[in-house]
Amino acid sequence: VNDTSAAAGSGASPAGPSTTPSPAVSRRRLLGAVGAGAAVAGAAIGAGGVLAARDHGSSDDAGGPPSGAAPAAATVDFRGGHQAGIATPAQDRLCFATFDVSPTASRADLAELLATWTAAAEAMTLGKPVPGDEGDLNTPPDDTGEAVGLTPGRLTVTVGYGPGLFDDRFGLAARRPSDLKPLPQLPGENLDPANSGGDLCVQACADDPQVAFHAVRNLRRLGFGTVVPRWMELGFGRTSSTSPQQATPRNLMGFKDGTRNIDATDADLMGAHVWIGEEEPQRWARGGSYLVSRKIRMRLEQWDRDRLGDQQDVFGRFKSSGAPLTGKAETDTPDFAAKNGSGYVIPADSHVRLAAHENNNGLRILRRGYSYTDGIDTQTGDLLGGLFFIAFMNSPDRFVTLQRVLGAHDALNEYIQHIGSGVFVVPPGLASGQDWGRQLFG
Ligand code: HEM
């Protein structure tokens, strides 16, 4: 099927990583090929591959298969102008973890780990195991093995650095990007430190949950002695579309989510709102972004008892079609001026009115979140679950501005609570031969 191999990073474009769909290539086959001495570093490339994947129903569009479909047999370029996993059409699954640097680790230890993480992440993105001396009976295997036989699943591994990393522990204070600082206290939040913060974060997205988990698990394993895991979250379904080719998914409240998200294929919008630009004095961070994570619990039992009319007023959209209350089709532009006998058709405290860029001086962010569940509350029997909100933006101040409004006035607040939080600078993509350690330390 795939006799065209792509050398690591060869498909990278300065504009950033792109998705490279291919016919099914299993990790087992790749491993076999490596064993046979073949130069295998990726999956087949080309329009033929795209058509083949579509013809066999393995991918509905560039945005990947709908939940429940076979995982996409595709790879996403690891290297490029921007890290993958931001503009990449949102994959179906997420594994997100944060780490603190161990008190005994040195600057050199951290730099070495980041180089090791780079090599491992690049290999896993290509559907290959973590590099190492496979088969030595006297040492633990270098790859934990659970992704053998699975497709690459459009895996992306995105790293970010929290404000704490830029204190004086590793000599990084002078390299701190200007807007990287802890988020201020925001209205209505009830943050659990066990779900918040971290010196480093790793966002692994894939169309197969085991591929995403495998990536984080192996980085955690390689980090032993240098970093300590702080918290981890699994996302079982994307709640945003980030490209117009993707169908809009529904969140756990049953509403279409992501309709008016930034279109990540629009370079002008991404340049204006998401990528850190030339104005940043820290040159190394230009082309990167900021990631804000919020674990938002939904009070699902209360929501499920609310009447449909009220649910629609909370968002300002129709539940079934996703259209704004002033329109008919999902993509109709909301008319925030429209009134009826009882006031605005899209209510004054509705989520979309308060969040819309028209009502926030043009402020926009790229939402890329996932639904999560933590099982049930054993005291009450209530479902524990909600939205693991992730958003990318060129300054965390954008999130703060928006959340100050939403946290204070959003009708949705009756049904949600922010219980975890993180803010990280996401460095730009890696050039050929570069690694995360050298990029960070210069
Ligand atoms: C559990 C919490 C949340 C849920 C269930 C939720 C759900 C939704 C839904 C259904 C929409 C309408 C469809 C769309 O355009 O995407 C929407 C829009 C939006 N949300 Fe949220 N959201 C949540 C939290 C947040 C937070 C924390 C922020 C940012 C601080 C945010 C920012 C936005 C923005 C900017 C829009 C687009 C509004 C527009 O331009 O029309 N959301 N959200």
Side-chain angles (χ1 to χ4, degrees):
V1 186
N2 295 304
D3 42 10
T4 315
S5 298
S10 66
S13 78
S18 62
T19 304
T20 305
S22 74
V25 184
S26 76
R27 284 164 195 264
R28 204 182 295 282
R29 286 197 51 183
L30 287 169
L31 280 171
V34 169
V40 176
I45 293 176
V50 177
L51 287 173
R54 284 190 183 153
D55 288 351
H56 290 93
S58 62
S59 172
D60 60 345
D61 53 44
S67 296
T75 58
V76 180
D77 291 339
F78 178 74
R79 293 175 189 269
H82 310 293
Q83 279 196 73
I86 304 171
T88 309
Q91 301 93 322
D92 271 350
R93 318 293 179 141
L94 166 82
C95 184
F96 190 100
T98 78
F99 300 85
D100 288 328
V101 184
S102 147
T104 55
S106 66
R107 176 183 166 112
D109 293 334
L110 180 57
E112 190 185 329
L113 174 65
L114 289 171
T116 308
W117 272 12
T118 307
E122 184 160 23
M124 292 188 287
T125 301
L126 291 165
K128 297 201 295 178
V130 171
D133 54 341
E134 289 165 51
D136 178 354
L137 294 180
N138 295 314
T139 58
D142 288 286
D143 186 286
T144 53
E146 73 270 31
V148 174
L150 304 177
T151 69
R154 294 195 304 134
L155 172 69
T156 54
V157 179
T158 315
V159 298
Y161 308 125
L165 199 66
F166 296 87
D167 57 18
D168 46 14
R169 282 176 296 166
F170 310 106
L172 285 169
R175 286 177 73 79
R176 187 180 60 79
S178 340
D179 286 353
L180 185 64
K181 51 185 181 295
L183 297 179
Q185 190 174 355
L186 292 164
E189 66 186 12
N190 184 15
L191 303 182
D192 179 355
N195 289 315
S196 301
D199 285 338
L200 300 100
C201 77
V202 173
Q203 174 199 263
C205 299
D207 289 323
D208 183 325
Q210 188 146 319
V211 168
F213 178 80
H214 169 260
V216 170
R217 178 184 177 193
N218 279 273
L219 297 191
R220 182 264 179 274
R221 188 169 174 275
L222 292 166
F224 189 76
T226 306
V227 291
V228 183
R230 190 176 168 111
W231 52 273
M232 190 176 103
E233 200 61 59
L234 280 179
F236 65 80
R238 68 180 169 94
T239 58
S240 268
S241 32
T242 55
S243 117
Q245 279 80 47
Q246 288 188 299
T248 312
R250 289 181 187 269
N251 59 35
L252 293 187
M253 289 172 155
F255 276 74
K256 290 192 177 187
D257 204 336
T259 305
R260 292 226 301 163
N261 202 8
I262 289 181
D263 169 6
T265 63
D266 185 326
D268 290 342
L269 276 181
M270 293 293 282
H273 301 283
V274 177
W275 305 128
I276 297 172
E278 297 296 309
E279 70 286 351
E280 169 57 55
Q282 299 289 351
R283 298 176 71 91
W284 74 271
R286 294 178 190 166
S289 189
Y290 289 92
L291 182 161
V292 173
S293 73
R294 303 288 281 186
K295 183 168 179 174
I296 308 177
R297 184 177 169 198
M298 293 174 178
R299 299 187 176 104
L300 293 168
E301 281 74 12
Q302 279 98 312
W303 179 255
D304 294 346
R305 286 187 206 112
D306 191 25
R307 57 190 183 83
L308 177 60
D310 191 64
Q311 291 189 355
Q312 296 186 155
D313 281 346
V314 164
F315 284 108
R317 287 185 171 270
F318 292 108
K319 189 166 189 175
S320 154
S321 64
L325 294 181
T326 52
K328 288 205 162 54
E330 184 194 341
T331 53
D332 286 351
T333 303
D335 178 355
F336 294 114
K339 288 190 167 181
N340 57 22
S342 47
Y344 287 117
V345 179
I346 298 177
D349 60 354
S350 64
H351 183 67
V352 300
R353 173 183 290 276
L354 295 171
H357 59 93
E358 292 92 333
N359 305 323
N360 289 286
N361 299 316
L363 188 160
R364 304 184 72 166
I365 56 176
L366 177 70
R367 290 169 286 141
R368 212 175 180 285
Y370 287 82
S371 296
Y372 79 88
T373 175
D374 289 341
I376 58 162
D377 180 334
T378 50
Q379 303 289 312
T380 61
D382 284 352
L383 294 169
L384 294 174
L387 171 65
F388 187 70
F389 173 96
I390 296 176
F392 294 93
M393 61 212 80
N394 58 14
S395 168
D397 296 346
R398 291 176 176 250
F399 171 80
V400 172
T401 302
L402 206 47
Q403 187 52 33
R404 280 204 169 116
V405 174
L406 293 176
H409 305 293
D410 195 347
L412 189 55
N413 293 333
E414 192 178 341
Y415 302 99
I416 62 170
Q417 179 141 63
H418 290 225
I419 58 172
S421 180
V423 60
F424 306 90
V425 64
V426 174
L430 294 172
S432 179
Q434 200 184 21
D435 67 64
W436 282 319
R438 277 187 283 171
Q439 181 191 50
L440 175 65
F441 288 101

